[in-house]
Amino acid sequence: MRNWRYIVYIVVISLAISFPFYAGVHPIHVATTILSLLALALSWDILLRGGQLSLGVSAFFGIGSYTTVLTHLNWEVSPLLSIVLGGLAAGVVALVIGLAVLRLRGLYFAIVTLALTFIFIVIVRNLTDLTGGAIGKLIPSVIFGGDPAMIYWLTLAIAVATIITSEIFQKTRIHFALTSIRNNEIAAKSSGIDIFKYLLFAFVVTAVIQGVVGGVHAQRFAFVSPEESFSLTFTILPLAMCLLGGSFSTLGSVIGAGGLGVLAEYLRLMMPRGHLAIYGLVMVMAILLMPKGIVGTIREQLVRRKTASS
Amino acid sequence: MKKGILLIAVALLLASSLVAVGCPRPVLEEPPVEPIRLGAVNPLGDITGRQSAQGMKLAVAEINAAGGILGRPLELIVMDDEFSPAVGAAAIEKLATVHEVDIFIGGMASGVHLAQIPILAKHGRVTVWIGAASHLVEAAIAALPDHDWYFHLHPWDYQQVEGTVEGWAAIVEKFPQIRLDRMFVAYEEGAFGAAGFAISRALFADVTIEGESFTSAVFGGGDFRAVLRHAKEFNPDAFVWVGFDPDALGMMVQAKEIGFAPPVFLGTPPGWPVGFGEIPLSEAVWLYGMWSPELKGVSPEAAHFWWAFIEKFGEEPATYFAPLGYVNVKFVAAGIERAGTLERGPLIEALREVRFEDTAVGWPLTIAPSRLIRHQGFTRQMILQWQGGRQEVIWPFEVATAEPIFPFPRWEDR
């Protein structure tokens, strides 16, 4: 049984890697966007496992985007290295901010992280000479000369790295630390868990992922602007994907991102106008009917059946 | 019994053979004519994008009713960009690879278009764009090794301001009671407002300009009292606000609240709220625009478009993107007709030569280089004024529909 699981993994990964060989350019484009959102959704979920609801994904995404473009433009750093620097910059900012804000819990933490996005928008708008101000900056060419397959593979690599990171967080003692913090912080503290250290670690790691995804986004579209790079879409959409698929698990975000991404494309195809309303309705209904997400609901049903049969 | 059935069957066979012989032989059908495919990308959830698409559909319907172009019908495929750069870029890819469109048209937001440019450049098909006014877009196009395939019909942001500088100079000369020595610009803090303010400061060289940003109601703002008080203290000849349509009503109500009524009160949103002209506060507010419904009284093309649009869709065009979408298709059709082919080289040459003396937006259209690109269409916008609920054209004087109301009436007189 265990071997079957690995066979499934190998088949899925092989299909994903070979996707550009059998799919058209448009599906590759759509898949690249879905993979980016998958990485964001999963990174958001990793921090949520410690009970911290972050609404600052757009902030780190934007920092990654801007760092990538500015290092590439000003220091002629190669596109790939600039993306890495984007991730690192987001990580450093998360480390500094985390030292202050990770003392907060619940709604207070959520609101402060949401405010980060707006603070960075104001900073970027006012550093006109460096960032191009409200108008933004262009880079002269798209990464890999705009080759959609190469951009897809790069994004796939980042998504796979995020999935592996998520699994590491699930399979190591970090999982127990974060879960215990989420379930009962006082009990976790009494058990000798350094709550702050684990939360800070998760906050920085997830910010690095978000910064890298932002860097790829900037290199893919060759521009940054405060409104686009710090758009709240990069917070809300991954959050919806994770909630739909099921939080506190790797599979949940993967299913949520894939499901909503494909649904959005299908609806766009079926009804060029009004598809967003149906998309929103599906999301609301799914979250109302399956508050634990697709994965959580299926798991619950399986447990219920098992209990009933025994 | 069996014989009887056999006889009936033979008789039926003979009868049907006779009928078949007597009937005219079926004519071999000609293969279906392949349509010329136009791929448009618009934000369909917004009135600008929706009416732009309607304008395009109207033009396609008229052209097809007249026999199409080069004996082929036009087919319009419209996709929604949802104001998202990623969605807008994917839409271009889909139009190019799945629908295999011949020409790209449409457009609205600069942020979306910046993401589309690398993909448009990769395909290199003729593109005639009617949105994306930011000079950053112009720079992105000009940075491409080859951009001959790109035509931009909407004026660039700096051209719009250049036009208003020219227009105000003409207005001040013709109406000496109007002065423009001191101007206060209240601008929304995003790219739209910031660019408007920066360019205004650069181009209105002889005018003392002061400015302050505000958060648009679109982004959760809406309290303009601080910026309005600052403007009142500055005592300008003209107060200009650069924002979006949801800011319009708040701006007027709060200006009245603090008793700020400068001689010229001007707003520059891309569109105005429905029914804005009907409220007394709108009287004598100046505005900039590429088009006005009142042009139907002076431009035959604008009049034709106005009535045809209402007849087809049962609603009035409410934004200049409606006639601009119509012009977009008409311009492309004229280019194809002139080229006699869809081949890139001759088509680009032909589009470069297209000249319209009059268009649905009320302006003539010719293609000329802008600062950075080779193929720019419209270069100016009009100076208009709300009068009796209508957007009257004040400048250019050739298409003017009214004289200006000056100064701005006191609030208590409304």
Side-chain angles (χ1 to χ4, degrees), chain A residues 4-281:
Chain A
W4 276 107
R5 182 182 278 192
Y6 289 113
I7 291 168
V8 170
Y9 287 161
I10 290 166
V11 169
V12 170
I13 290 171
S14 305
L15 282 174
I17 292 172
S18 57
F19 188 67
F21 295 115
Y22 58 83
V25 182
H26 177 252
I28 295 172
H29 210 91
V30 173
T32 306
T33 304
I34 292 174
L35 288 171
S36 302
L37 292 169
L38 187 159
L40 293 180
L42 205 43
S43 68
W44 180 77
D45 185 62
I46 290 171
L47 190 63
L48 188 71
R49 291 171 204 171
Q52 292 293 67
L53 186 127
S54 167
L55 296 178
V57 179
S58 308
F60 299 115
F61 182 95
I63 290 167
S65 296
Y66 264 90
T67 308
T68 298
V69 167
L70 295 179
T71 52
H72 181 61
L73 274 179
N74 298 334
W75 300 328
E76 294 178 1
V77 171
S78 74
L80 281 176
L81 183 58
S82 73
I83 290 167
V84 174
L85 291 174
L88 288 177
V92 170
V93 172
L95 180 68
V96 174
I97 292 171
L99 289 170
V101 303
L102 282 168
R103 310 273 174 204
L104 301 171
R105 294 290 179 271
L107 272 180
Y108 298 101
F109 179 78
I111 289 167
V112 167
T113 49
L114 178 65
L116 285 179
T117 303
F118 297 104
I119 290 167
F120 283 111
I121 288 177
V122 171
I123 293 171
V124 164
R125 272 187 189 147
N126 286 287
L127 294 175
T128 311
D129 290 342
L130 178 69
T131 61
I135 296 160
K137 284 258 181 193
L138 289 174
I139 47 177
S141 58
V142 182
I143 190 168
F144 303 131
D147 183 339
M150 293 294 285
I151 298 171
Y152 167 83
W153 282 320
L154 174 65
T155 315
L156 177 66
I158 292 162
V160 170
T162 310
I163 290 170
I164 292 168
T165 308
S166 170
E167 282 300 288
I168 291 170
F169 269 73
Q170 287 287 75
K171 300 278 158 58
T172 59
R173 61 182 181 170
I174 306 169
H175 169 67
F176 299 108
L178 291 178
T179 308
S180 59
I181 294 167
R182 185 178 80 233
N183 290 340
N184 192 330
E185 198 176 322
I186 297 168
K189 206 181 257 180
S190 314
S191 311
I193 294 170
D194 188 340
I195 292 170
F196 189 73
K197 184 185 85 180
Y198 279 107
L199 286 182
L200 187 64
F201 180 67
F203 192 52
V204 171
V205 169
T206 55
V208 169
I209 294 168
Q210 290 151 12
V212 167
V213 176
V216 174
H217 186 86
Q219 285 285 355
R220 183 178 167 205
F221 295 117
F223 82 100
V224 280
S225 74
E227 273 130 13
E228 303 300 342
S229 305
F230 290 94
S231 167
L232 283 181
T233 307
F234 300 119
T235 296
I236 294 162
L237 213 48
L239 192 148
M241 287 171 162
C242 180
L243 290 180
L244 180 75
S247 46
F248 314 134
S249 77
T250 305
L251 193 60
S253 292
V254 173
I255 287 176
L260 274 187
V262 171
L263 176 72
E265 201 49 38
Y266 175 74
L267 288 174
R268 211 170 274 142
L269 195 74
M270 297 306 290
M271 48 176 91
R273 284 181 201 174
H275 62 275
L276 285 176
I278 305 295
Y279 183 70
L281 194 69

Side-chain angles (χ1 to χ4, degrees), chain B residues 283-313:
Chain B
E283 186 64 9
V285 170
W286 295 74
L287 63 147
Y288 297 143
M290 272 196 73
W291 167 84
S292 159
E294 304 320 310
L295 283 163
K296 63 182 180 291
V298 290
S299 153
E301 270 294 310
H304 165 76
F305 166 77
W306 176 267
W307 297 116
F309 190 95
I310 292 171
E311 192 185 331
K312 188 166 175 65
F313 301 109

